[in-house]
């Protein structure tokens, strides 16, 4: 077993299962995606650390447990159409791409979007479609989505994203008026006009910057 494979298995046991994460598809996906390929080269030895890591443009690759928790909260089925807002390194998009065929991800920094696209193609997740733009506006041409995951914290749940959820669809997003602490919420679209919101706990994310997020 390679060192990274060993570290990945340790991550599954010590960071995910030990915290009660049981979703088989999610555990399987995090057990397969080579996180070291999405980590900046100078931090490759820390790829499986139990924390977020810095990437370019002062952004972060999220902590493995948070990626797992948010992905599990989406209750994904293999044929779901999934939108991610905040591609960052591309790691979480690869995890989504391991579970679902139809994955779309948007990043506001072109450098990050381009790098993630290359890495996704190289690691076997070329079916994940990457777009450079403001993800708070969603991806109209590909909507509706069965699942939307927002990897940055905004002041509120963007109305446009709610409208791009399919009936029965789930969105997981950190929200809150503080830039330092947010609530992770799951929004479920019950019917055309009815949404149900659940609190999944406190989290800390980089800001969601855009038309329906924080202003630059
Ligand atoms: N999912 C990423 C990963 O696996 O590496 C982690 C993402 S990082 C925590 C959040 C990302 O959201 C940053 O790359 C940031 O540039 C991006 N972001 C912030 N606001 C955005 C917006 N309105 N549209 C698209 N991306 C946005």
């Amino acid at each position: 077993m390679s060192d990274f494979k060993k570290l990945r298995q340790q991550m599954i046991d010590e960071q995910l299962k030990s915290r009660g994460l049981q979703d088989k598809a999610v555990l399987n996906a995090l057990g397969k995606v080579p996180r070291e390929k999405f980590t900046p080269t100078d931090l490759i030895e820390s790829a499986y650390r139990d924390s977020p890591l810095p990437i370019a443009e002062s952004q972060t690759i999220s902590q493995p447990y948070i990626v797992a928790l948010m992905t599990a909260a989406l209750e994904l089925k293999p044929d779901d159409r999934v939108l991610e807002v905040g591609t960052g390194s591309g790691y979480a998009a690869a995890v989504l791409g391991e579970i679902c065929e139809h994955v779309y991800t948007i990043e506001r920094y072109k450098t990050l979007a381009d790098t993630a696209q290359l890495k996704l193609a190289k690691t076997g997740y070329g079916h994940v479609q990457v777009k450079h733009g403001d993800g708070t506006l969603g991806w109209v041409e590909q909507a509706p989505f069965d699942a939307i995951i927002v990897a940055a914290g905004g002041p509120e749940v963007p109305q446009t994203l709610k409208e791009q959820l399919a009936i029965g669809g789930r969105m997981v997003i950190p929200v809150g008026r503080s830039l330092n602490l947010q609530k992770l919420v799951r929004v479920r679209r019950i019917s055309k006009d009815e949404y149900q919101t659940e609190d999944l706990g406190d989290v800390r994310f980089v800001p969601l910057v855009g038309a329906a997020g924080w202003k630059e």
Side-chain angles (χ1 to χ4, degrees):
M1 208 193 271
S2 76
D3 282 355
F4 283 125
K5 215 168 166 192
K6 241 186 251 165
L7 289 172
R8 206 176 306 137
Q9 190 52 49
Q10 254 173 31
M11 169 191 84
I12 300 285
D13 295 335
E14 295 169 16
Q15 301 175 32
L16 311 186
K17 287 186 177 168
S18 67
R19 290 186 171 118
L21 208 127
Q22 288 175 354
D23 186 308
K24 283 208 172 70
V26 173
L27 290 172
N28 180 53
L30 272 97
K32 282 195 177 156
V33 175
R35 187 170 161 91
E36 70 278 9
K37 302 272 198 252
F38 294 90
T39 307
T41 38
D42 57 329
L43 289 174
I44 206 159
E45 296 304 325
S46 308
Y48 291 93
R49 209 162 72 187
D50 191 14
S51 70
L53 295 172
I55 57 172
E57 307 290 2
S58 305
Q59 302 302 314
T60 53
I61 168 172
S62 303
Q63 180 190 10
Y65 175 65
I66 291 294
V67 174
L69 180 78
M70 291 176 80
T71 308
L74 293 174
E75 301 173 350
L76 295 174
K77 294 183 290 306
D79 58 351
D80 277 351
R81 295 175 65 78
V82 187
L83 174 69
E84 180 193 34
V85 174
T87 315
S89 68
Y91 173 69
V95 169
L96 297 169
E98 186 59 50
I99 303 173
C100 298
E101 193 53 41
H102 306 288
V103 180
Y104 303 87
T105 180
I106 310 177
E107 170 55 52
R108 68 184 283 261
Y109 286 105
K110 182 152 175 29
T111 46
L112 293 180
D114 290 348
T115 308
Q117 187 159 33
L118 276 176
K119 290 185 172 180
L120 285 161
K122 270 195 189 161
T123 47
Y125 301 100
H127 60 288
V128 174
Q129 293 195 36
V130 184
K131 176 165 120 168
H132 166 231
D134 178 2
T136 67
L137 302 174
W139 195 326
V140 180
E141 299 81 3
Q142 301 298 346
F145 299 99
D146 302 292
I148 299 179
I149 177 169
V150 182
E156 58 200 14
V157 182
Q159 183 62 26
T160 319
L161 294 183
K162 286 170 80 173
E163 285 164 9
Q164 290 184 22
L165 263 187
I167 309 283
R170 295 80 53 201
M171 171 170 20
V172 177
I173 174 169
V175 281
R177 289 269 145 203
S178 155
L179 282 178
N180 295 321
L181 191 70
Q182 302 93 27
K183 289 251 174 256
L184 187 64
V185 300
R186 174 166 52 199
V187 179
R188 216 179 271 277
R189 188 169 194 178
I190 307 295
S191 66
K192 186 172 178 298
D193 300 313
E194 206 185 339
Y195 296 87
Q196 189 185 67
T197 303
E198 295 159 77
D199 183 346
L200 304 180
D202 290 343
V203 283
R204 186 177 178 177
F205 271 85
V206 295
L208 179 70
V209 178
W214 298 103
K215 303 301 162 224
E216 280 194 72

